[in-house]
């Protein structure tokens, strides 16, 4: 790989679902009630260190090994908010077998307000300096191996405990299928990727969203609208409905103009497209 250039910018967007927040609470052990109970506006607050995974993703893209990271948490982040992380290469110094690199980064919320800033220092090894086994291990398999999603627990307590892991496994499996579904248009793919990112995990083991209308911003929900023009989203949804990938959870949704009914993702129909 070539040396990163000072001033180079990388960025990416993502949001965290309520399931992501609950799963991180289990993983980290941070079960503060502000992360597990909704506030007076019905919102669930993400962990600061969960938000801090955004710049670490950009570092991972460059095989950056951090020596230190400094964060300043400026505003709370809530489930469903799409965040933009922007990282800038500040300094690059050539060293034997590697480059010493520093980055600054800023994470902003949908209103453009800063929620997190920070800096990090570390190194990026040149390809020829990396051990051969490490290079081989970094090459992904041609076909990703994804563990099948576990069946949801039948009792409520068991479901609440198992749901985050079950949802994560199902989303990973269907994301792999989506990546191979060549028959989908770019808009259809964007809609399905959005559904996978934000859909809730139901007790029947299916992914669902409150309604079709939330996808293009015609109804308020924890699910943000897809970042496409409403007409394009609606057109893509119509095609996905005809294909059977997105289905109504209740029969009345099939009536013309009925939008305010829960919608499920039909995993079997999606798998057939892959």
């Amino acid at each position: 790989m070539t040396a990163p250039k000072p001033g180079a910018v990388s960025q990416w967007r993502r949001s965290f679902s309520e399931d992501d927040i609950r799963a991180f609470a289990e993983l980290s052990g941070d079960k503060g009630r502000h992360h597990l109970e909704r506030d007076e506006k019905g919102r669930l607050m993400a962990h600061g260190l969960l938000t801090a995974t955004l710049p670490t993703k950009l570092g991972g893209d460059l095989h950056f090994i951090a020596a230190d990271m400094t964060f300043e948490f400026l505003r709370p982040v809530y489930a469903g908010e799409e965040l933009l992380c922007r990282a800038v290469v500040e300094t690059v110094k050539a060293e034997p077998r590697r480059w010493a690199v520093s980055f600054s980064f800023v994470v902003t919320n949908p209103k453009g307000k800063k929620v997190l800033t920070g800096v990090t220092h570390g190194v990026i090894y040149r390809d020829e300096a990396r051990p051969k086994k490490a290079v081989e291990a970094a090459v992904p398999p041609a076909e990703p191996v994804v563990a099948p999603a576990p069946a949801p627990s039948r009792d409520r307590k068991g479901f609440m405990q198992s749901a985050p892991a079950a949802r994560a496994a199902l989303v990973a499996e269907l994301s792999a299928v989506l990546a191979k579904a060549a028959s989908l248009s770019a808009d259809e793919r964007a809609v399905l990727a959005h559904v996978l990112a934000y859909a809730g995990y139901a007790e029947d083991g299916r992914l669902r969203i409150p309604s079709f209308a939330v996808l293009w911003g015609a109804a308020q929900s924890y699910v943000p609208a897809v970042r496409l023009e409403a007409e394009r989203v609606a057109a893509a949804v119509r095609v996905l409905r005809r294909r059977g990938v997105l289905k109504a959870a209740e029969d009345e949704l099939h009536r013309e103009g009925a939008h305010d009914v829960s919608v499920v993702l039909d995993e079997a129909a999606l798998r057939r497209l892959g």
Side-chain angles (χ1 to χ4, degrees), residues 44-69:
L44 205 60
M45 184 191 300
H47 301 70
L49 289 180
L50 179 56
T51 305
T53 61
L54 272 74
T56 63
K57 185 270 184 189
L58 295 176
D61 290 344
L62 296 174
H63 309 296
F64 172 74
I65 302 174
D68 63 67
M69 301 186 80

Side-chain angles (χ1 to χ4, degrees), residues 194-250:
H194 193 78
V195 171
L196 288 175
Y198 293 107
Y201 184 70
E203 292 188 54
D204 59 5
R206 297 196 292 180
L207 296 170
R208 66 177 68 204
I209 58 174
S211 72
F212 288 132
V214 304
L215 291 175
W216 55 82
Q220 291 186 340
S221 169
Y222 68 90
V223 179
V226 181
R227 295 181 66 84
L228 293 172
E229 294 154 3
E231 294 79 7
R232 290 173 58 184
V233 178
V237 167
R238 284 195 293 271
V239 174
L240 292 169
R241 287 184 66 182
R242 286 199 298 269
R243 292 184 170 199
V245 179
L246 292 180
K247 297 176 121 181
E250 300 177 28

Side-chain angles (χ1 to χ4, degrees), residues 86-216:
R86 186 175 186 271
V88 180
V89 177
E90 298 291 344
T91 62
V92 180
K93 179 182 178 183
E95 296 182 350
R97 305 176 67 231
R98 66 187 190 181
W99 299 285
V101 184
S102 68
F103 293 87
S104 63
F105 47 84
V106 176
V107 179
T108 53
N109 64 19
K111 295 182 179 180
K113 300 290 187 180
K114 295 178 181 179
V115 299
L116 172 69
T117 61
V119 295
T120 180
H121 303 80
V123 297
I124 300 174
Y125 281 92
R126 296 185 176 91
D127 287 339
E128 65 271 18
R130 299 170 67 200
K132 184 176 181 182
K133 288 185 177 179
V135 174
E136 292 173 350
V139 178
E143 293 292 336
V145 178
V146 180
S153 174
R154 292 185 178 276
D155 66 281
R156 182 66 181 171
K157 182 178 180 181
F159 171 77
M160 293 301 292
Q161 292 175 342
S162 63
R167 181 190 185 280
L170 179 59
V171 168
E173 178 187 358
L174 295 179
S175 296
V177 172
L178 180 60
K180 297 185 294 183
S183 63
L184 292 171
S185 70
D187 286 358
E188 291 163 41
R189 193 181 303 276
V191 168
L192 289 177
H194 193 78
V195 171
L196 288 175
Y198 293 107
Y201 184 70
E203 292 188 54
D204 59 5
R206 297 196 292 180
L207 296 170
R208 66 177 68 204
I209 58 174
S211 72
F212 288 132
V214 304
L215 291 175
W216 55 82

